[in-house]
Amino acid sequence: MPAFQTSPGMRDILPPESGRWRRFTDVFADVVERAGYGQIVTPLLEDLGVFTRIGDATDVVTKEMYDFVDKGERHIALRPEMTASVCRAFAEHRPTVPWKVFYSGSNFRYEKPQRGRYRQFDQVGIEVLGADDAFLDVEVIALASEFYRRLGLRQVTLVVNSLGEPDDRARYVEALRAYFTAAGDRLSEASRATLERNPLRVLDSKRERDQELIAAAPQIGDFHSPEAAAHFVAVLDGLRTLDIEFTVEPKLVRGLDYYRRTIFEFQGGTLDSAQNALGGGGRYDGLVEALGGPATPGIGFALGVDRTLLACDDEGVFAAEPVELDAFVVDVTGGLQAVALTAELRAAGLAVDRGYDNRSMKAQMKLANRSGARFAVIIGDDELAAGTVVVKPMRGDGEQLAVPRSEISTHLAAHPDQN
RNA sequence: GUGGUCAUAGCUCAACAGGUAGAGCACCAGGUUGUGAUCCUGGCGGUUGGGGGUUCAAGUCCCCUUGGCCACCCCA
């Protein structure tokens, strides 16, 4: 056993999986950059206060924060999500609106790890600050939807809901509190504890015993103000116009307390996974203000990289694929020829690898085979003397042939196929 | 954080009711007189996650510990 291993909930991403991660973020960047979003990079660490604004009734803040006091006596926390950081950046720099940004990177939450849930986990996402348009909500959701399409995912379902304006939400929370409190011990003990902290969260309970009560609980829709209701209707109309399938789920409540009005979640098709939330987001008008900035509407989403990739595995799409090599140089004259030829071919724009340690031809050919390169370029004593190299196709059944050393790079460039 | 479950070679796993660890794959070498992927032969490889205990004897039983996984909590 190794003397050291990664901390709980942390892990290494090795090739070729790491290449898949990079392609994942590349595809995401392509989708959102084409829609006018620019990348934002914020610090991994922020003043703890930035995150406590998320809401002190959320588990993310109360028990999952990775916080510490630094050498300057500052109370610091590793970011548990990106939205708060983006809002802090907005309040700090005051860019012109609408401000459309995207990000990708790691977040940290001190939780008990399990499959699809890590203490360090990556997300990609977008945020738009300074626009109130219901059709912006539609655009944001559509971009996530487009991203899933680009990955090849088919079994992702979109659920939407509206939490209403802050006042609506507050009245609804009180109605829920009254309803569940009246239920007394018909509600599970665990949920009664949740009720104390955050009545909305009771709707999320997965305990059998609570399901009947939850089904009959007050509905948020009945508390929507005319403005909130109109906004929600506009969002749904927009989604229909874009042919984006969705289901309205009145019991959908997201984990962060800053959400207002539109909220949504993308769920994977895999059965029996408690970690089926691939991503989600919503409006958070008021968060910028809470962080000391001007009153500014905001909306965005974050998608979990791990979970989305897990969903890709389940659907057999967006697989990890090794980098394609054009050639693998095999040199049995000592290695100097390989160094020179490899450098030359790489300079010519080809993807080339080679063997090391002056191993036997058989050993080097095995490496060439394993590398997946299209051709093996072989240099032995005969070739060295004749000023040639042997080019051997490694796939297909083409014949190997001797090529003048000086023509090798043009030869390879002219033979993208097997012969 | 609570509960459950598992941990044997680099990987996937085996070892009857306690009797001093084995296979496949991978890797290395040879068969092949310069040429891989196939085939054959051989080799390397483990203080059975770590520590302690019971026993003549522990991979196997008990305790502690570390880590994975599952459920709850919650979320990405």
Side-chain angles (χ1 to χ4, degrees):
Chain A
M1 280 294 111
F4 294 104
Q5 49 190 314
T6 54
S7 286
M10 313 263 171
R11 70 241 196 272
D12 303 310
I13 311 295
L14 310 177
E17 181 67 9
S18 51
R20 186 191 190 201
W21 273 57
R22 200 185 56 205
R23 281 197 297 128
F24 184 94
T25 50
D26 284 350
V27 170
F28 183 75
D30 185 61
V31 169
V32 298
E33 281 186 327
R34 286 167 181 277
Y37 292 74
Q39 183 165 18
I40 182 171
V41 178
T42 65
L44 232 46
L45 272 46
E46 297 270 2
D47 188 289
L48 177 70
V50 170
F51 303 118
T52 55
R53 297 300 186 284
I54 291 170
D56 48 19
T58 66
D59 285 359
V60 169
V61 170
T62 57
K63 62 178 200 186
E64 297 170 3
M65 199 79 85
Y66 256 105
D67 65 317
F68 62 95
V69 175
D70 76 3
K71 294 177 182 181
E73 305 291 308
R74 286 173 286 261
H75 201 164
I76 300 295
L78 273 64
R79 64 185 183 205
E81 58 122 41
M82 307 269 223
T83 305
S85 293
V86 170
C87 289
R88 190 230 79 231
F90 181 87
E92 186 170 335
H93 304 288
R94 303 293 179 90
T96 53
V97 298
W99 197 47
K100 301 167 67 170
V101 296
F102 79 93
Y103 52 73
S104 69
S106 294
N107 299 315
F108 302 82
R109 291 182 197 172
Y110 197 90
E111 293 189 278
K112 187 120 173 174
Q114 53 183 268
R115 182 180 168 82
R117 172 204 271 178
Y118 304 97
R119 287 182 177 176
Q120 176 177 349
F121 63 100
D122 274 53
Q123 289 184 327
V124 295
I126 62 176
E127 310 290 347
V128 182
L129 292 168
D132 196 40
D133 190 348
F135 298 135
L136 169 60
D137 302 18
V138 175
E139 176 189 294
V140 165
I141 292 171
L143 285 170
S145 192
E146 166 64 8
F147 177 54
Y148 289 131
R149 194 191 66 76
R150 285 278 298 275
L151 292 177
L153 285 172
R154 288 277 164 270
Q155 299 174 43
V156 177
T157 60
L158 165 66
V159 292
V160 297
N161 190 22
S162 172
L163 258 21
E165 304 287 348
D167 286 350
D168 307 342
R169 177 185 162 134
R171 284 186 295 119
Y172 180 54
V173 167
E174 282 321 304
L176 279 179
R177 191 193 306 280
Y179 170 78
F180 284 123
T181 301
D185 58 12
R186 283 192 293 144
L187 193 65
S188 67
E189 192 175 341
S191 290
R192 268 177 278 157
T194 304
L195 181 60
E196 294 294 314
R197 305 197 314 275
N198 191 335
L200 276 180
R201 204 61 40 70
V202 176
L203 296 176
D204 256 347
S205 166
K206 290 185 182 112
R207 303 192 69 83
E208 280 293 329
R209 180 172 168 186
D210 299 332
Q211 296 315 307
E212 202 174 320
L213 270 176
I214 290 171
Q219 303 269 307
I220 179 66
D222 297 331
F223 294 79
H224 284 163
S225 63
E227 297 75 23
H231 187 97
F232 194 41
V233 165
V235 170
L236 302 185
D237 280 347
L239 291 175
R240 287 190 198 97
T241 299
L242 295 185
D243 288 324
I244 294 172
E245 290 183 30
F246 63 88
T247 47
V248 174
E249 174 49 74
K251 293 180 185 59
L252 174 66
V253 293
R254 305 267 315 145
L256 292 328
D257 281 347
Y258 51 60
Y259 285 121
R260 302 285 129 85
R261 298 194 279 183
T262 314
I263 59 173
F264 54 91
E265 189 167 295
F266 295 95
Q267 296 170 355
T270 11
L271 299 171
D272 64 277
S273 172
Q275 274 72 48
N276 76 335
L278 265 34
R283 279 211 163 266
Y284 44 85
D285 309 337
L287 183 54
V288 171
E289 199 172 4
L291 286 164
T296 309
I299 180 169
F301 67 68
L303 313 181
V305 176
D306 309 280
R307 291 187 185 180
T308 305
L309 252 17
L310 241 29
C312 287
D313 291 340
D314 291 339
E315 292 197 35
V317 299
F318 202 72
E321 47 193 46
V323 175
E324 287 272 296
L325 283 182
D326 295 304
F328 191 98
V329 177
V330 172
D331 174 10
V332 287
T333 69
L336 186 59
Q337 296 304 311
V339 181
L341 187 54
T342 301
E344 182 185 325
L345 294 176
R346 287 175 183 161
L350 296 164
V352 184
D353 199 1
R354 67 182 174 94
Y356 303 110
D357 294 331
N358 196 29
R359 298 225 275 151
S360 72
M361 176 170 285
K362 175 169 179 163
Q364 290 191 57
M365 285 304 294
K366 287 183 78 164
L367 292 175
N369 181 57
R370 208 183 302 156
S371 76
R374 290 158 44 228
F375 295 97
V377 175
I378 306 166
I379 308 171
D381 292 324
D382 296 347
E383 287 74 20
L384 187 53
T388 61
V389 295
V390 166
V391 177
K392 174 170 181 159
M394 295 301 284
R395 305 174 212 163
D397 50 9
E399 290 294 310
Q400 68 180 42
L401 72 166
V403 175
R405 164 71 206 255
S406 59
E407 293 171 19
I408 180 62
S409 71
T410 49
H411 177 86
L412 289 179
H415 293 266
D417 300 311
Q418 289 313 306
N419 309 308

